[in-house]
Amino acid sequence: MLTIGKLGQAAGVKVPTVRYYEQIGLLPEPERSTGNQRLYPRAALDRLAFIRHARELGFPLEAIRDLLSLSDKPDQPCTAADAIAKAQLQAVRARLSRLKALEMELERMVTQCAHGAISDCRVIEVLGDHGQCAHPHHDSAGEP
Amino acid sequence: MLTIGKLGQAAGVKVPTVRYYEQIGLLPEPERSTGNQRLYPRAALDRLAFIRHARELGFPLEAIRDLLSLSDKPDQPCTAADAIAKAQLQAVRARLSRLKALEMELERMVTQCAHGAISDCRVIEVLGDHGQCAHPHHDSAGEP
DNA sequence: CCTTGAACCTATAGTTGCTAGAGACATTAG
DNA sequence: CTAATGTCTCTAGCAACTATAGGTTCAAGG
């Protein structure tokens, strides 16, 4: 049996985060010691590592919830898991192309900066004047 | 003078967001009509467009606050503005390289999926077993 | 046995950048 | 004049944690 600290360390997840995952129902409530401290079996480590790895890949917790419930039914076809992963890949690619555009514009801003007075600063100028920039501005916020 | 709706529309920012920017001090409190509605001068549009554009480039609001206060002092050197933009460029590049790694791993997961049962699913398997994946896992969360 | 210090407990609030809702007042078009 | 928008304030909610406060339990050393 592992205490929450050992579990967190083994999985690379901070202790408050483990408790948070329990609170939102991603991890089942473990047994408690006589002194009311959480005690986890080995299996909890697998589950937590799964969550952590999926989070590292950028899956939102809701998707992870679905993936976990899928992994509990090994006999079903994996179409759903595949779909979730594909959606995540799409989302990542969308962010990538957006970030590349941002990178180009920031690069332009920074390299064109003459390091003079604010009044001549390309950085401020480009930010203030939409017309000066190349990128499309299709959507609203900086990053989804 | 513009009402908040016109202003928002002209700058491409939603009305509650404009009020939010006012609340956190990014936009000054405007005059009010006799009926207590906000009335903005043209200059407010420039400022709001500046904010919006900077947000689109992913600048955090705190950085925008700094950039705005810089743009109010046109005689100072633009070193600070330059530094903020460079930091943002760095942040964007860091996210780019991270996202590229994620893309590769997700791609691998998805293309290797044999579309059979969950028990044979590469997606689930790779998520569950750290050792199967190529990417480094240096930092903790999916995206900063 | 006692004490110390680390690890644990609960509960609450804060973070970022908005967005949504409720319920009331203002403005404007027909 | 009325109906339809638009606007007002205030509160609460989203993701996914992180931090803080104030208390309890555990493991080791003396």
Side-chain angles (χ1 to χ4, degrees):
Chain A
M1 288 300 197
L2 304 162
T3 63
I4 195 171
K6 305 288 178 193
L7 177 74
Q9 198 164 26
V13 173
K14 286 179 196 145
V15 167
T17 305
V18 177
R19 286 196 279 251
Y20 170 71
Y21 287 161
E22 177 185 327
Q23 193 194 310
I24 63 170
L26 269 192
L27 289 177
E29 296 185 18
E31 333 171 26
R32 299 292 184 118
S33 73
T34 49
N36 197 34
Q37 301 195 348
R38 290 169 179 82
L39 288 180
Y40 295 91
R42 293 274 148 195
L45 181 51
D46 293 345
R47 194 175 177 94
L48 186 51
F50 184 103
I51 296 171
R52 190 214 160 183
H53 194 184
R55 282 296 299 133
E56 278 171 347
L57 289 169
F59 287 89
L61 290 180
E62 273 319 294
I64 296 174
R65 200 188 293 277
D66 294 345
L67 287 169
L68 278 170
S69 84
L70 287 170
S71 78
D72 289 341
K73 314 173 196 159
D75 296 335
Q76 303 222 259
C78 80
T79 333
D82 194 44
I84 293 171
K86 276 185 175 143
Q88 176 62 11
L89 179 55
Q90 265 223 339
V92 164
R93 285 188 172 144
R95 298 216 279 169
L96 262 176
S97 71
R98 175 127 185 79
L99 272 180
K100 275 179 199 146
L102 296 196
E103 186 195 16
M104 280 182 8
E105 188 170 347
L106 283 167
E107 210 163 41
R108 233 164 40 91
M109 268 170 60
V110 166
T111 59
Q112 289 181 4
C113 178
H115 307 283
I118 288 277
S119 52
D120 300 324
C121 183
R122 284 295 292 177
V123 173
I124 300 285
E125 193 180 339
V126 171
L127 286 174
D129 184 359
H130 246 201
Q132 305 214 356
C133 90
H135 104 249
H137 294 175
H138 27 63
D139 49 2
S140 51
E143 271 288 287
Chain B
M1 288 300 197
L2 304 162
T3 63
I4 195 171
K6 305 288 179 195
L7 177 75
Q9 196 162 30
V13 174
K14 285 177 196 143
V15 167
T17 305
V18 176
R19 287 195 278 252
Y20 170 71
Y21 287 161
E22 177 184 325
Q23 192 194 311
I24 63 169
L26 269 192
L27 288 176
E29 296 184 19
E31 332 172 27
R32 299 294 183 118
S33 73
T34 48
N36 198 35
Q37 301 196 347
R38 289 169 180 82
L39 288 179
Y40 295 92
R42 294 275 147 193
L45 181 51
D46 293 344
R47 194 173 177 95
L48 185 52
F50 184 102
I51 296 171
R52 190 213 161 186
H53 194 185
R55 282 298 298 136
E56 278 171 347
L57 289 170
F59 287 89
L61 289 179
E62 273 319 294
I64 297 175
R65 199 188 293 278
D66 293 345
L67 287 169
L68 278 170
S69 85
L70 287 171
S71 79
D72 289 339
K73 313 173 197 160
D75 295 335
Q76 303 222 262
C78 79
T79 332
D82 194 43
I84 293 170
K86 274 184 176 145
Q88 176 61 12
L89 179 54
Q90 265 222 339
V92 165
R93 284 187 173 146
R95 298 216 280 171
L96 263 175
S97 71
R98 176 127 183 78
L99 273 180
K100 275 179 200 146
L102 297 196
E103 187 195 17
M104 280 180 10
E105 189 170 348
L106 283 167
E107 211 162 42
R108 233 164 38 93
M109 269 171 57
V110 166
T111 58
Q112 289 181 3
C113 178
H115 307 283
I118 288 279
S119 52
D120 300 323
C121 183
R122 284 296 293 177
V123 173
I124 300 285
E125 194 181 338
V126 171
L127 286 174
D129 184 359
H130 246 199
Q132 304 214 357
C133 91
H135 104 248
H137 294 178
H138 29 60
D139 48 5
S140 52
E143 272 289 287

